[in-house]
Amino acid sequence: MQLAGRVSLVTGAGVRLGRALALSLAERGSDVAVHYHRSEGPAREVVEQIRALGRRAVAVPLDLAQDQGYGELVSRVVDSLGSLDVLINSASVFERGTIQTESTVSWDRHIAINVRAPFLLSQAMVSRLQQGQRGHIINIADWRAERPGTQYIAYTVSKAGLVALTKSLALALAPQVQVNVIAPGAILAPPGDPGGYFARLPERIPLRKVGSPQELVQAVVYLLESDFVTGEVLHVTGGEHL
Ligand SMILES: NC(=O)c1ccc[n+]([C@@H]2O[C@H](COP(=O)([O-])OP(=O)(O)OC[C@H]3O[C@@H](n4cnc5c(N)ncnc54)[C@H](OP(=O)(O)O)[C@@H]3O)[C@@H](O)[C@H]2O)c1
């Protein structure tokens, strides 16, 4: 798919990697719906930056922990920008939780935001596709989805679910919609980065560096431009997942 003239929706696009993805899609000619929850001000800045690039943009709020509002959100995108061709599910919650500390509240938040919301948004997007219209869904998971870990149990399971969801939707929606998932490694330090965790990471990453938002952007663009890749897990980790 060529991005020029398409319409993309990026979740969590007010800040961090979602913001980088929204701007990069606009730089490649896509109109963009900028989803946010708490980051209204930053999301409005992204909208202004996209408009300055000559593309159309709209900011669309929704708390993805909720089980309602997905059809309305997609309708708002289609009504404002004319269609919806590309959905990037980037918004996420990432909270530590071990066998001793994990709570039902944390479980429900991770599953709702990281897996259920991408499904509900996919469902809403597909219901608005026109006959003959092609689409792409790209989910942003984590290499932890495919490797066991003890410190982020609900998060890890939610991202494993997102990988499974991706493969199921790739089958269910072919040939009209391609569905892929990116499994990033260390790209952006968590807010606050306690103890300089990120600075010590390169020594245990095979390519001896952390990534950058640009590497995630390149992976997304590759998947969007391909007409023959679906159900794929693309690791962008510097080899850390190995
Ligand atoms: N950063 C990395 O190095 C890294 C590594 C591996 C995987 N990933 C994955 O890459 C994606 C982007 O990561 P990131 O680090 O940029 O973002 P992040 O800090 O994991 O996620 C923050 C984003 O999620 C949104 N969000 C959180 N709770 C929400 C809710 N209840 N409803 C709606 N939106 C909600 C936030 O929106 P508001 O601010 O508007 O509330 C914000 O845009 C995530 O899926 C993450 O798991 C990132």
Side-chain angles (χ1 to χ4, degrees):
M1 174 186 283
Q2 292 304 312
L3 272 168
R6 307 288 179 174
V7 177
S8 306
L9 165 61
V10 182
T11 67
V15 295
R16 294 173 58 79
L17 295 179
R19 181 187 187 106
L21 289 171
L23 289 169
S24 69
L25 294 178
E27 283 163 5
R28 287 164 176 79
S30 178
D31 297 329
V32 183
V34 176
H35 161 266
Y36 67 94
H37 176 221
R38 293 206 166 90
S39 300
E40 180 175 358
R44 297 205 177 281
E45 280 172 27
V46 176
V47 165
E48 289 312 314
Q49 288 179 34
I50 291 170
R51 288 179 180 157
L53 291 167
R55 305 310 318 175
R56 294 180 302 159
V58 61
V60 284
L62 186 64
D63 177 0
L64 299 181
Q66 294 184 12
D67 59 6
Q68 291 177 12
Y70 297 85
E72 291 81 353
L73 186 150
V74 168
S75 290
R76 202 167 149 210
V77 175
V78 174
D79 293 347
S80 306
L81 302 177
S83 68
L84 179 57
D85 308 290
V86 173
L87 168 62
I88 313 267
N89 286 304
S90 178
S92 174
V93 60
F94 174 54
E95 293 166 1
R96 186 180 293 273
T98 66
I99 182 72
Q100 288 83 17
T101 65
E102 202 64 90
S103 66
T104 54
V105 172
S106 169
W107 267 105
D108 290 350
R109 272 175 56 73
H110 280 90
I111 297 300
I113 296 167
N114 295 2
V115 194
R116 187 180 66 186
F119 171 74
L120 293 173
L121 277 174
S122 301
Q123 195 178 44
M125 171 200 184
V126 167
S127 75
R128 294 300 301 264
L129 286 178
Q130 304 291 320
Q131 192 149 15
Q133 182 185 357
R134 299 292 304 274
H136 273 270
I137 299 170
I138 297 184
N139 296 318
I140 311 294
D142 191 305
W143 66 271
R144 289 177 179 84
E146 297 187 323
R147 293 289 296 272
T150 60
Q151 300 301 304
Y152 295 90
I153 290 185
Y155 174 80
T156 302
V157 172
S158 71
K159 292 296 192 178
L162 188 58
V163 170
L165 174 68
T166 301
K167 294 178 183 179
S168 298
L169 290 184
L171 269 178
L173 301 179
Q176 193 177 14
V177 181
Q178 290 164 254
V179 190
N180 291 289
V181 57
I182 297 177
I187 305 248
L188 268 190
D193 189 12
Y197 164 75
F198 240 59
R200 294 194 304 277
L201 276 180
E203 65 197 44
R204 73 166 203 225
I205 296 176
L207 294 183
R208 295 286 180 268
K209 60 176 210 154
V210 296
S212 69
Q214 193 49 36
E215 265 120 9
L216 186 66
V217 166
Q218 285 169 352
V220 165
V221 170
Y222 163 72
L223 290 172
L224 293 178
E225 290 186 346
S226 166
D227 289 333
F228 201 53
V229 178
T230 197
E232 185 61 25
V233 185
L234 178 51
H235 289 90
V236 182
T237 67
E240 189 178 8
H241 66 289
L242 301 171

